[in-house]
């Protein structure tokens, strides 16, 4: 089966582009907006609408395969590619990628994905968002050509022997960390609540007390309104604020995390991005040291690597150094989605957790595609996305997961 045409259109994502540098410097909210000047190159405001590009591949039998190019909420931060605006990149796709796509056979996926991932524009690799979206469309094209699910394409081409089955879903609350936590608890979500702890003074507390109080509330809330037998994991994304509050001191961070662990009991505690050391090498050292110290203290807290871990090579570096316990596989940052599958497999083979994340700033299309990859390769947990409203992102990922599992196992 060959591609005969490519159609692009601009779209909106499920959230916004946010200038992380400006927010960390203390930019204040004005309703949903932020007040002040942006700090990161390319931003015209601290918060601006998220943008995507839909790439539709017209196949010779008339079927249409779809992928959405999207970038993370905090574009341009933590070593990531710059802000992704549709007006800037639709011309790149139409001029540089369309000629490569038209006439291409899509009976198989992996070779096409690898070739796409190595294409260059102006002497460097294509923006990760382009590789991400076009590879989704190629995966969908192969699935449609062979009349199977995208998950089965991944399983077949990576020669995986596991059964295609459900994986735990992790939901993110955004700033509405109380009301949205209620939604998660009522729906029985396996991992919650994210909580968006991205500012020391207002969300963590200079001594960590604000977050500790929130964990106390969350623990009690789960027990008070959750159904009988409901026992989720508590996963908090702290955006480096623990390291900031405790001056990157390993012992101080460890002791504070131990306090949070005791507060969260009887629920398992997961801490994402405890510190941001400013570069990959130092981030690996700091995270590995914190893991080692927590294990010496007999803590069962799991640390998630996030910042400065963007590419498949980054994933390998963090895993090999035991920098954390779980790898946040931030799907748009890895480029082609075959890298997501490779990253999950690499983690699983080394007894390292594999969290297929991404961003609230994706679309329903990219969420469904990466859910297929996650369940095929058996990720430890999967992010409900896009958006921060809980219900919509959880519905998209949960329902896609159940549909694919039912279809794949029917055969």
């Amino acid at each position: 089966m060959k591609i005969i045409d490519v159609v692009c259109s601009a779209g909106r994502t499920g959230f916004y582009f946010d200038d992380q540098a400006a927010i960390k410097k203390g930019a204040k909210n004005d309703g949903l907006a932020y007040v002040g000047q942006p700090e990161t190159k390319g931003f015209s405001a601290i918060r601006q609408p998220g943008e995507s590009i839909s790439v539709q591949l017209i196949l010779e039998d008339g079927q249409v395969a779809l992928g959405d190019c999207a970038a993370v909420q905090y574009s341009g931060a933590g070593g990531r590619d710059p802000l992704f605006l549709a007006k800037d990149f639709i011309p790149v796709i139409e001029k540089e990628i369309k000629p490569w796509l038209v006439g291409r056979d899509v009976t198989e996926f992996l070779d096409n994905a690898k070739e796409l991932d190595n294409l260059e524009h102006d002497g460097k690799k294509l923006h990760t968002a382009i590789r991400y979206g076009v590879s989704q469309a190629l995966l969908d094209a192969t699935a449609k050509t062979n009349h199977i699910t995208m998950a089965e394409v991944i399983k077949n081409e990576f020669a995986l022997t596991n059964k295609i089955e459900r994986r735990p879903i992790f939901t993110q609350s955004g700033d509405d960390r109380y009301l949205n936590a209620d939604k998660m608890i009522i729906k029985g979500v396996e991992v919650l609540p994210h909580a968006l702890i991205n500012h020391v003074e207002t969300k963590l507390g200079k001594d960590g007390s604000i977050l500790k109080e929130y964990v106390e509330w969350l623990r009690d809330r789960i027990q008070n309104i959750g159904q009988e037998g409901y026992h989720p994991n508590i996963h908090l994304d702290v955006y480096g604020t623990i390291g900031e509050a405790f001056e990157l001191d390993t012992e101080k961070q460890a002791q504070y995390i131990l306090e949070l662990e005791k507060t969260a009991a009887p629920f398992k505690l997961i801490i994402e991005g405890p510190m941001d050391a400013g570069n990959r090498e130092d981030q690996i050292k700091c995270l590995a040291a914190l893991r080692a110290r927590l294990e010496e203290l007999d803590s069962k807290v799991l640390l998630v690597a996030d910042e400065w871990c963007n590419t498949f090579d980054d994933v390998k570096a963090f895993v090999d150094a035991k920098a954390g316990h779980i790898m946040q596989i931030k799907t748009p940052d890895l480029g082609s989605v075959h890298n997501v599958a490779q990253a999950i497999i690499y983690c699983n083979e080394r007894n390292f957790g594999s969290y297929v994340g991404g961003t609230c700033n994706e679309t329903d299309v990219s969420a469904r595609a990466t859910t297929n990859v996650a369940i095929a390769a058996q990720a430890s947990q999967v992010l409900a996305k896009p958006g921060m409203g809980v219900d919509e992102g959880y519905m998209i990922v949960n329902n896609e997961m159940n549909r694919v599992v039912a279809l794949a196992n029917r055969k």
Side-chain angles (χ1 to χ4, degrees), residues 127-159:
H127 195 292
T128 48
I130 294 177
R131 289 181 274 144
Y132 186 47
V134 175
S135 68
Q136 294 165 35
L138 288 169
L139 178 59
D140 189 28
T142 300
K144 284 181 162 63
T145 296
N146 293 284
H147 305 289
I148 57 177
T149 64
M150 289 184 282
E152 289 168 288
V153 172
I154 294 296
K155 182 179 177 182
N156 294 344
E157 297 204 25
F158 281 91

Side-chain angles (χ1 to χ4, degrees), residues 84-290:
F84 184 75
L85 302 178
K87 67 178 178 60
D88 295 333
F89 289 100
I90 286 178
V92 174
I93 296 172
E94 292 180 336
K95 182 180 178 181
E96 304 289 339
I97 314 304
K98 182 175 179 177
W100 178 82
L101 287 167
V102 172
R104 181 163 295 270
D105 188 282
V106 291
T107 306
E108 295 182 349
F109 166 69
L110 197 51
D111 286 344
N112 285 332
K114 289 178 179 177
E115 189 174 337
L116 167 70
D117 218 33
N118 288 312
L119 292 179
E120 293 188 350
H121 173 65
D122 289 340
K124 57 184 179 181
K125 278 192 172 186
L126 296 164
H127 195 292
T128 48
I130 294 177
R131 289 181 274 144
Y132 186 47
V134 175
S135 68
Q136 294 165 35
L138 288 169
L139 178 59
D140 189 28
T142 300
K144 284 181 162 63
T145 296
N146 293 284
H147 305 289
I148 57 177
T149 64
M150 289 184 282
E152 289 168 288
V153 172
I154 294 296
K155 182 179 177 182
N156 294 344
E157 297 204 25
F158 281 91
L160 301 172
T161 59
N162 55 274
K163 185 178 180 181
I164 291 175
E165 57 190 2
R166 274 189 64 90
R167 313 307 299 164
I169 298 176
F170 169 44
T171 48
Q172 53 185 349
S173 65
D175 277 323
D176 200 354
R177 60 188 61 82
Y178 291 93
L179 181 62
N180 278 342
D182 277 2
K183 296 178 184 180
M184 299 168 191
I185 297 166
I186 290 169
K187 293 196 172 185
V189 171
E190 296 99 330
V191 189
L192 77 173
H194 179 268
L196 195 67
I197 308 301
N198 61 357
H199 188 241
V200 171
E201 285 77 8
T202 59
K203 297 179 181 180
L204 184 89
K206 290 182 179 180
D207 59 354
S209 58
I210 297 174
L211 179 57
K212 187 177 177 181
E213 289 173 5
Y214 175 71
V215 173
E216 289 175 353
W217 174 86
L218 183 63
R219 175 201 64 205
D220 294 342
R221 196 66 173 163
I222 292 168
Q223 294 172 324
N224 289 337
I225 71 169
Q227 294 186 8
E228 185 176 353
Y230 178 52
H231 198 85
N233 290 343
I234 294 177
H235 180 144
L236 304 168
D237 192 347
V238 300
Y239 293 87
T241 53
I242 292 177
E244 184 179 348
F246 297 102
E247 301 173 323
L248 288 180
D249 184 293
T250 299
E251 185 63 26
K252 290 178 181 178
Q253 292 178 82
Q255 292 299 329
Y256 173 66
I257 290 171
L258 281 177
E259 289 181 32
L260 289 182
E261 182 178 23
K262 292 174 184 176
T263 304
F267 305 106
K268 179 177 282 295
L269 181 63
I270 303 170
I271 300 290
E272 181 173 349
M275 81 289 291
D276 184 346
N279 60 75
R280 192 182 90 164
E281 181 180 359
D282 288 337
Q283 184 74 357
I284 288 173
K285 289 178 181 178
C286 288
L287 203 51
L290 184 57

Side-chain angles (χ1 to χ4, degrees), residues 351-392:
N351 198 31
F352 207 97
S354 53
Y355 155 37
V356 172
T359 174
C360 53
N361 195 46
E362 295 192 50
T363 73
D364 59 320
V365 171
S366 65
R368 290 198 299 268
T370 52
T371 297
N372 273 261
V373 176
I375 59 178
Q378 290 199 305
S380 304
Q381 66 184 48
V382 185
L383 180 65
K385 58 186 182 181
M388 288 285 198
V390 178
D391 297 313
E392 301 84 355

Side-chain angles (χ1 to χ4, degrees), residues 273-331:
M275 81 289 291
D276 184 346
N279 60 75
R280 192 182 90 164
E281 181 180 359
D282 288 337
Q283 184 74 357
I284 288 173
K285 289 178 181 178
C286 288
L287 203 51
L290 184 57
R291 169 180 165 162
R293 183 57 183 144
L294 285 170
E295 290 177 351
E296 287 173 357
L297 295 167
D298 199 31
S299 170
K300 306 304 180 187
V301 170
L302 300 177
L303 301 177
V304 181
D306 181 8
E307 301 300 337
W308 302 101
C309 185
N310 303 320
T311 67
F312 179 47
D313 286 341
D314 292 339
V315 169
K316 291 192 290 185
F318 275 76
V319 171
D320 293 347
K322 295 186 177 180
H325 301 90
I326 301 173
M327 190 56 52
Q328 215 285 46
I329 300 168
K330 212 163 185 80
T331 52

Side-chain angles (χ1 to χ4, degrees), residues 33-53:
Y34 282 96
V35 177
Q37 294 300 311
E39 298 283 339
T40 302
K41 184 179 179 181
F43 279 79
S44 57
I46 295 172
R47 168 165 284 173
Q48 58 192 77
E51 299 187 19
S52 64
I53 299 173

Side-chain angles (χ1 to χ4, degrees), residues 54-68:
S54 288
V55 178
Q56 299 181 83
L57 307 181
I58 315 302
L59 307 183
E60 57 186 342
D61 67 351
Q63 294 188 90
V64 180
L66 175 62
D68 274 0

